[in-house]
Amino acid sequence: MKDVEPTRFLGLDFGEKTIGVAVSCSLNLIATPLEIIRRENEVSIKKSIKRLEELIKELNINTIILGYPKNMNNSEGPRALKTVEFKERLLRNFKRINVILWDERLSTVVAHNNMKLMGLDNIERQKIVDKVAASIILQSYLDYINNKQ
């Protein structure tokens, strides 16, 4: 009998020109930064969807945790609305995947602060901040579901 690979979570930090990507471990306890998907412009996301499709298959993903950029006063600005549109696009393209919006407030700030503590300079941080922010978003969700159980 063949062992069944456990399903995992993908965390996304959806930005204007990049999508930071993180993945959970097989036990869904720890999030790890994976990669940054770059776009030519904000509107063009076909290549991004194609890359996400590859990752979903390769990593046996069943749920995407999509960072939801609410304002500090809990209101929804233009970036949040674009994120909801992206969620709808993901649902249309990946019919068997759950997509959960997850509050991402301050995830980029936390990512920068953590990388500063690690001794990375601003140039090094800028290269990886999106995938680190994605891992912070995903880790927050994993901590929530694991503490809830």
Side-chain angles (χ1 to χ4, degrees), residues 6 27 37 39 46 58 78 106-107 110 124 126 144 148:
L27 297 175
I37 301 170
R39 300 191 309 283
K46 283 185 181 181
E58 176 186 328
L106 299 177
S107 61
V110 171
E124 294 169 311
Q126 288 303 324
Y144 171 78
K148 199 168 110 172

Side-chain angles (χ1 to χ4, degrees), residues 6 8-9 12 35 37-38 51 53-54 56-59 67 71 74 85-86 93 95 100 114 122 135 139 142 145:
R8 297 160 76 185
F9 294 92
L12 301 181
E35 67 180 67
I37 301 170
R38 300 190 189 282
R51 179 62 185 141
E53 180 180 23
E54 293 167 358
I56 287 167
K57 288 178 183 173
E58 176 186 328
L59 300 169
N71 295 321
N74 209 33
E85 289 173 10
F86 183 63
N93 281 273
K95 304 234 184 287
I100 298 170
N114 288 347
N122 192 44
S135 72
Q139 188 64 55
L142 294 173
I145 62 169

Side-chain angles (χ1 to χ4, degrees), residues 1 5 7 12 17 22 39-40 51 55 58-59 68 77 82 87 89-90 98 110 117 119 129 132 138 140 143:
M1 178 180 214
E5 180 91 13
T7 57
L12 301 181
K17 292 193 175 186
R39 300 191 309 283
E40 301 273 328
R51 179 62 185 141
L55 291 171
E58 176 186 328
L59 300 169
Y68 192 46
K82 288 183 185 301
K87 175 187 176 182
R89 177 81 183 259
L90 292 172
N98 298 318
V110 171
L117 290 172
V129 68
V132 174
L138 180 54
S140 170
D143 291 346

Side-chain angles (χ1 to χ4, degrees), residues 12-13 65-67 102 104 107 133-141:
L12 301 181
D13 182 25
I65 307 305
L66 178 58
W102 193 252
E104 72 164 42
S107 61
S135 72
I136 290 167
I137 293 163
L138 180 54
Q139 188 64 55
S140 170
Y141 179 79

